[in-house]
Amino acid sequence: MNLFINFSYLVAAVLFIFGLKMLSSPATARRGNLVSACGMLLAVVVTLLASGLAYVWIVLGLVIGSGIGLVAARRVEMTQMPEMVALFNGFGGIASLLLAWGEFHQGHEYTAFLLTVTFLSAFIGGVTFSGSMVAFGKLSERMPSRPLTFAGQHLVNGAILLLAVVSGILFAMTGGYGWFLLTVVLALVFGVTSVIPIGGADMPVVISLLNSYSGLAACAAGFVIHNNILIVAGALVGASGVILTNIMCKAMNRSLANVLFSGFGATSKKSEGPQGEVRPATAEDVYYLLEAADTVVFVPGYGLAVAQAQHAVRELGELLEKNGTEVLYAIHPVAGRMPGHMNVLLAEANVPYDQLVEMDEINPRMDSVDVCVVIGANDVVNPAALDDPDSPIYGMPIIETHRARTVVVLKRSMGAGFAGIQNALFFYPNTRMYFGDAKASLQALIAEFKDVD
C-alpha cells in the first residue's frame, strides 16, 4: 500500500509541475489549472485510502467546506476576486497553524527537528492568516487602504520577529507548551503589524507574498504529519509565489527586502501631482479618433473590473479589427489588485490570447501607436513614475501611454487612483479625457460604429 501511495504522490507532483509550467502562458493557463486540479484530486483520494483516518470528520469537513466554497464562488463578483484570494491565503495559513497545533497537542514524542517544523508551520501559518485578514480588509475597503504607520514601526516589527525566533529556539529545545502559545500570539500580531504599513499600488505584491507564505506553512505542516505530497505541494506554492513576488517587485522597481520588511509605501514622499488643463472628449470625438487609427492599444485596470466592461471592450476591439485596425491589449504586471487580475478578466470575455502584450513588449512600439485607450488604469500609466522624484511611485516601470500619438482616458472623474496620487497623464497635450462609466462609454462607442454601418 505504501508503495502505491508514494507512486501516486509522485504522479500528483508531476501533474503539479506541468500545471505550473502551463500557467505561465495565457494560451495554456486554463489547461494548466485543470492538470494541477487533477493532481490535487489524485493526492486527496490516495491520502484518504490511508488507514487510521476518522472518515466521519473528514466527510463532515468536506461537505461544510464544499458548501461554503460553492456559495462563495457563485456569489463573488469579479471585482471581489482579490479579496477572495486574500481570504483563501488566510484559510491556508490558519489550516497549517491548526494542523501543527493539533499534532503537538496530542503529546507525541518529538525530536528537535519536528519541534522546529511545528514552530515554522505555526508561525508562518499565523502570519499568513492575520496578514491576509488585513489585506482582505484593505482590498474590501473595510479598513483604510492607505499605509497605516506609527512611530518606531520597524523597531516594533524587528522586536516581534526577534522574540518569535527566541521562542522558536526555546520551543525546539524544551517542547514547552507555553513557548508554542507565545509563538502563535507573536505570529498573529506580526501578520497585522507587517501588512498594515503597506497599501495602495503595492497590494498585489503583498497578495503574492502571502500566497507564498501559505505554501511554506503547508510545506512545514507536511513535515509535521509526515505527508510527502503536502511537503511537495507546499514547496511548489512557496517557490512559485516567491518567483512571482520577485517578478512583481521588479515591475514596481522595488526590492524583495522592501516587501519582507514592509518598508515601501510607508516611507515614500507624497506628492499632490501636477495640475493643469484637461481636454474632455465626447463619444463622437473618440469615435473619429478610433475610426482613423491604424493601431489601437487598450490598457485595462481595476476600473475595467468595477464597470464589468470586459465584454464591451472585446466587442469594440472586434469592430476596430473589422475596420482594419490592429488591436492590442497591454497589461502591466501589477494592474488590478492581484497578480494576473487583468488576464483573468480579459480571458472571461474571450479576448484572443495573441492580442495580450506585456509592458516590455509594447513600450518600444509606443511611439508608433495611434491611440492608447486607458480603461480604469491609473498608477501603471502615470508618467510621474519616470520624471517626478517626489512621487511615491517614482522609479516604477509603467506602460508609457503618454508617448502614443493620442491617449484617451476613460474615467468617472479626476479622482486619484489606488495609490492616492494625481496622474500627470491627464494633463498631457495629447490626452483626451472621456468621462463616464467605462462600460457605458464603451457601449456608446460601439453604437457609433454600428450607426455608421
Side-chain angles (χ1 to χ4, degrees):
M1 177 60 82
N2 284 337
L3 182 62
F4 170 73
I5 290 176
N6 285 328
F7 178 75
S8 300
Y9 283 168
L10 179 62
V11 173
V14 171
L15 290 174
F16 291 158
I17 293 169
F18 275 105
L20 280 174
K21 172 63 179 173
M22 296 168 76
L23 286 173
S24 64
S25 167
T28 57
R30 289 185 178 180
R31 276 183 288 141
N33 204 22
L34 182 61
V35 168
S36 298
C38 289
M40 183 56 72
L41 177 63
L42 175 64
V44 170
V45 170
V46 170
T47 300
L48 291 177
L49 293 177
S51 59
L53 297 178
Y55 290 101
V56 173
W57 293 107
I58 290 173
V59 171
L60 184 61
L62 187 67
V63 171
I64 294 174
S66 299
I68 295 173
L70 183 63
V71 172
R74 291 183 65 86
R75 295 183 61 181
V76 69
E77 297 180 3
M78 184 56 72
T79 52
Q80 297 172 320
M81 286 300 291
E83 304 153 37
M84 192 169 184
V85 170
L87 280 179
F88 284 169
N89 288 341
F91 291 160
I94 195 66
S96 298
L97 187 156
L98 294 176
L99 189 151
W101 196 338
E103 280 293 301
F104 179 67
H105 186 73
Q106 294 185 38
H108 300 308
E109 288 292 328
Y110 271 78
T111 63
F113 173 76
L114 278 177
L115 289 171
T116 301
V117 292
T118 300
F119 159 75
L120 290 174
S121 181
F123 182 72
I124 301 175
V127 171
T128 305
F129 173 69
S130 58
S132 296
M133 292 304 104
V134 174
F136 169 76
K138 284 175 173 277
L139 290 167
S140 62
E141 299 182 358
R142 287 175 168 81
M143 62 184 294
S145 60
R146 70 178 185 280
L148 300 176
T149 58
F150 55 85
Q153 194 158 34
H154 293 295
L155 291 177
V156 171
N157 282 346
I160 295 173
L161 195 57
L162 181 62
L163 277 175
V165 172
V166 171
S167 68
I169 293 173
L170 293 173
F171 175 67
M173 293 174 62
T174 65
Y177 216 125
W179 294 118
F180 181 83
L181 295 178
L182 178 60
T183 296
V184 172
V185 172
L186 289 173
L188 295 175
V189 174
F190 187 68
V192 174
T193 58
S194 62
V195 175
I196 58 171
I198 305 171
D202 298 328
M203 195 50 66
V205 184
V206 176
I207 295 294
S208 176
L209 187 63
L210 289 170
N211 178 254
S212 175
Y213 285 170
S214 71
L216 295 175
C219 181
F223 281 105
V224 173
I225 60 172
H226 309 289
N227 186 285
N228 293 332
I229 194 62
L230 189 55
I231 296 172
V232 172
L236 288 173
V237 173
S240 58
V242 168
I243 293 170
L244 180 59
T245 302
N246 191 40
I247 292 172
M248 299 184 77
C249 284
K250 287 181 179 177
M252 300 181 71
N253 196 30
R254 310 285 193 184
S255 70
L256 187 58
N258 286 136
V259 179
L260 292 174
F261 294 101
S262 306
F264 62 85
T267 57
S268 302
K269 296 178 182 178
K270 292 294 181 184
S271 170
E272 293 299 327
Q275 301 294 324
E277 181 185 357
V278 298
R279 297 162 183 77
T282 64
E284 187 177 22
D285 297 333
V286 178
Y287 161 73
Y288 284 123
L289 288 171
L290 295 177
E291 195 274 338
D294 291 326
T295 307
V296 172
V297 175
F298 292 103
V299 183
Y302 183 69
L304 181 75
V306 172
Q308 288 289 290
Q310 61 270 31
H311 296 282
V313 73
R314 187 215 60 202
E315 186 177 357
L316 178 60
E318 290 175 346
L319 290 171
L320 287 169
E321 285 186 291
K322 288 180 182 176
N323 194 43
T325 306
E326 181 188 17
V327 177
L328 297 171
Y329 298 80
I331 301 179
H332 193 281
V334 295
R337 294 189 179 180
M338 70 175 185
H341 195 182
M342 293 301 105
N343 297 77
V344 173
L345 199 70
L346 295 177
E348 184 196 13
N350 293 319
V351 171
Y353 296 132
D354 58 2
Q355 292 183 353
L356 305 183
V357 292
E358 297 181 357
M359 174 177 62
D360 293 339
E361 188 178 349
I362 194 64
N363 276 345
R365 295 185 54 189
M366 197 56 79
D367 290 323
S368 62
V369 172
D370 291 316
V371 182
C372 255
V373 183
V374 180
I375 310 174
N378 199 70
D379 304 317
V380 298
V381 295
N382 192 339
L386 303 177
D387 53 25
D388 182 3
D390 290 334
S391 173
I393 62 171
Y394 180 68
M396 182 179 89
I398 59 168
I399 296 179
E400 298 172 6
T401 57
H402 59 282
R403 289 172 39 218
R405 294 190 176 99
T406 303
V407 185
V408 177
V409 179
L410 273 65
K411 197 167 171 56
R412 290 177 182 271
S413 68
M414 292 293 291
F418 202 49
I421 55 176
Q422 186 59 276
N423 194 337
L425 177 68
F426 300 163
F427 310 106
Y428 268 55
N430 60 335
T431 299
R432 305 295 299 271
M433 300 298 295
Y434 182 22
F435 291 111
D437 174 79
K439 185 176 181 179
S441 298
L442 290 168
Q443 288 173 334
L445 293 174
I446 292 169
E448 292 280 349
F449 274 93
K450 289 183 175 177
D451 286 346
V452 173
D453 293 340

